[in-house]
Amino acid sequence: MSTPTKLFEPYKLGPLNLPNRLVMAPLTRNRAVAGMVPSPLAVEYYGQRASAGLLISEASQVSKQGQGYQDTPGIYSREQVAGWRKVTERVHQRGGRIFLQAWHVGRISHTSLQPDHGAPVAPSAIRAKGKTFVGGTFTDISEPRALKLEEIPGIVESFRRGAANALQAGFDGVEIHGANGYLLDQFAKDGTNKRTDAYGGSIENRARLLLEVAKAVTSEAGAERTGIRISPVTPANDVSDSNPQPLFDYVVDHLNALKLVYIHVIEGATGGPRDIAPFDYGSLRKRFKGAYIANNGYDFELATKVLAANAADLIAFGKPFLANPDLVERLKRGAPLNTPDKATFYGGGAKGYTDYPVLGDALDAAQ
Ligand code: 8OZ
């Protein structure tokens, strides 16, 4: 045993007893090739990682309209629920716990993925600079249309139904995807939301959709099984806000009132620098009575330091979990980590998905 760390101490997350403080972050893998249904390989992939304190599934669209990239799984059809059930059963058999991440991409989509090949939907008709992955290639994101006021209850309902489906599929809870420039983040931030109705303008109005969705999901899953992911300052997907601190202080105060079990906070630029913009994450930590899951660029040392300072309860690891099914064991032993292979992150089959070796395999291979 080297550095003393809280990383391997148990944690009670609502009704769940987590054996350690490591969370597998949601990771988009684009392998749900048949009807946006998780494949048998997904069963294997999540099952291999069941020693995490908590697994969070890859982002899963709550409706066809909510899809923005090819071959991402859904949580709106009977077949998708049946596919996910096999995943949750495997994870539970292996002694793990798993939340579903419920997603609506909003404007980050392409007409070819949309119902009737229509325009993707957004708070305002502002096209995102960027590409999405469709038809096997990177393509410009399509011009969106602004959602009509009367369409908004349908969006909330799609998240509620997604949560109900997730529970039916055997998930232990639901994480609302409120981060990374997707629909709920597009509404919350003033760079993307220019509405003049009850869902635009003031902080209260811009946060309204996210909070209505949080309320709808808690009505299905229970607050003790509902978490949310936010990314106050990320520039991901061309999103921005002129004053994120009061916005996210407000959001977190209201999530606290709804008694959500956790906030999962991407600190800095998603998958990039942690110090991209000034932001007081400690303010969110202080305001929120539930668990704080910290994410973005954590390694053993930083995780140990942040847990020791009580600045977070749990730490979410993305790429390290992708490449190391036995990440918990490796960190415990101070063993070297496999390197993630970027070429196989999105799409494909078993390669770079279910074939990363665990410690014993590496020893076997060396013999
Ligand atoms: C990478 C590629 C596609 C989608 C996110 C769901 O950033 C994603 C995503 C990541 O939250």
Side-chain angles (χ1 to χ4, degrees), residues 210-211 230 245-260 263 283-289:
L210 183 150
L211 294 172
I230 55 175
Q245 192 76 53
L247 170 61
F248 282 89
D249 282 350
Y250 174 90
V251 162
V252 167
D253 281 345
H254 286 76
L255 294 169
N256 191 50
L258 290 171
K259 299 192 157 41
L260 262 64
I263 54 171
S283 167
L284 308 186
R285 168 66 166 162
K286 252 196 294 224
R287 283 159 194 277
F288 193 65
K289 301 289 175 279

Side-chain angles (χ1 to χ4, degrees), residues 185-208:
D185 204 26
Q186 290 159 28
F187 267 83
K189 290 177 179 166
D190 60 12
T192 37
N193 184 344
K194 307 292 179 192
R195 298 178 75 94
T196 53
D197 60 13
Y199 290 87
S202 64
I203 282 176
E204 185 184 355
N205 283 356
R206 284 182 279 122
R208 191 178 307 281

Side-chain angles (χ1 to χ4, degrees), residues 225-239:
R225 292 180 186 272
T226 304
I228 190 166
R229 197 174 203 214
I230 55 175
S231 54
V233 300
T234 195
N237 289 311
D238 199 19
V239 79

Side-chain angles (χ1 to χ4, degrees), residues 23-208:
V23 174
M24 177 174 159
L27 296 164
T28 290
R29 306 306 310 270
N30 307 77
R31 282 161 166 90
V33 291
M36 282 68 79
V37 175
S39 73
L41 276 178
V43 176
E44 190 60 28
Y45 165 75
Y46 286 107
Q48 288 170 340
R49 289 158 177 76
S51 60
L54 178 69
L55 301 173
I56 304 170
S57 82
E58 66 208 270
S60 305
Q61 58 269 8
V62 293
S63 61
K64 178 80 193 140
Q65 184 195 67
Q67 183 174 358
Y69 308 81
Q70 76 178 62
D71 304 331
T72 56
I75 189 68
Y76 57 89
S77 78
R78 207 179 285 277
E79 294 74 22
Q80 292 159 357
V81 170
W84 278 122
R85 177 158 274 290
K86 298 196 178 101
V87 171
T88 64
E89 280 172 356
R90 178 69 62 88
V91 168
H92 292 149
Q93 270 165 20
R94 301 262 174 104
R97 296 136 300 277
I98 183 166
F99 271 39
L100 174 104
Q101 196 195 45
W103 192 32
H104 191 306
V105 297
R107 68 179 187 155
I108 308 300
S109 187
H110 189 264
T111 52
S112 65
L113 293 170
Q114 289 292 307
D116 305 319
H117 290 187
V121 301
S124 303
I126 305 167
R127 189 176 193 160
K129 288 187 207 71
K131 305 266 184 195
T132 177
F133 191 71
V134 280
T137 95
F138 285 93
T139 312
D140 283 341
I141 289 164
S142 299
E143 177 88 36
R145 68 174 178 84
L147 278 164
K148 297 191 203 93
L149 186 60
E150 58 270 26
E151 291 178 284
I152 291 183
I155 300 282
V156 177
E157 171 57 19
S158 66
F159 274 94
R160 191 203 57 74
R161 198 185 53 220
N165 287 343
L167 292 189
Q168 222 186 5
F171 282 97
D172 297 293
V174 177
E175 175 174 291
I176 298 159
H177 195 338
N180 293 345
Y182 297 111
L183 186 68
L184 302 180
D185 204 26
Q186 290 159 28
F187 267 83
K189 290 177 179 166
D190 60 12
T192 37
N193 184 344
K194 307 292 179 192
R195 298 178 75 94
T196 53
D197 60 13
Y199 290 87
S202 64
I203 282 176
E204 185 184 355
N205 283 356
R206 284 182 279 122
R208 191 178 307 281

Side-chain angles (χ1 to χ4, degrees), residues 174-350:
V174 177
E175 175 174 291
I176 298 159
H177 195 338
N180 293 345
Y182 297 111
L183 186 68
L184 302 180
D185 204 26
Q186 290 159 28
F187 267 83
K189 290 177 179 166
D190 60 12
T192 37
N193 184 344
K194 307 292 179 192
R195 298 178 75 94
T196 53
D197 60 13
Y199 290 87
S202 64
I203 282 176
E204 185 184 355
N205 283 356
R206 284 182 279 122
R208 191 178 307 281
L209 179 60
L210 183 150
L211 294 172
E212 286 179 352
V213 165
K215 198 164 176 206
V217 170
T218 60
S219 78
E220 286 294 335
E224 74 283 6
R225 292 180 186 272
T226 304
I228 190 166
R229 197 174 203 214
I230 55 175
S231 54
V233 300
T234 195
N237 289 311
D238 199 19
V239 79
S240 63
D241 192 80
S242 59
N243 199 4
Q245 192 76 53
L247 170 61
F248 282 89
D249 282 350
Y250 174 90
V251 162
V252 167
D253 281 345
H254 286 76
L255 294 169
N256 191 50
L258 290 171
K259 299 192 157 41
L260 262 64
V261 74
Y262 71 71
I263 54 171
H264 176 182
V265 185
I266 302 172
E267 299 163 343
T270 312
R274 294 178 46 78
D275 58 355
I276 183 164
F279 190 87
D280 179 12
Y281 297 101
S283 167
L284 308 186
R285 168 66 166 162
K286 252 196 294 224
R287 283 159 194 277
F288 193 65
K289 301 289 175 279
Y292 182 104
I293 309 182
N295 174 244
N296 204 30
Y298 277 83
D299 60 10
F300 177 84
E301 282 70 32
L302 186 58
T304 295
K305 193 174 123 190
V306 164
L307 290 175
N310 197 30
D313 299 296
L314 301 164
I315 309 290
F317 296 86
K319 291 187 280 272
F321 252 120
L322 183 153
N324 296 276
D326 56 345
L327 182 67
V328 177
E329 190 59 26
R330 284 176 190 255
L331 293 184
K332 241 183 217 171
R333 292 206 211 167
L337 302 183
N338 300 319
T339 308
D341 169 30
K342 280 205 175 86
T344 50
F345 279 3
Y346 309 117

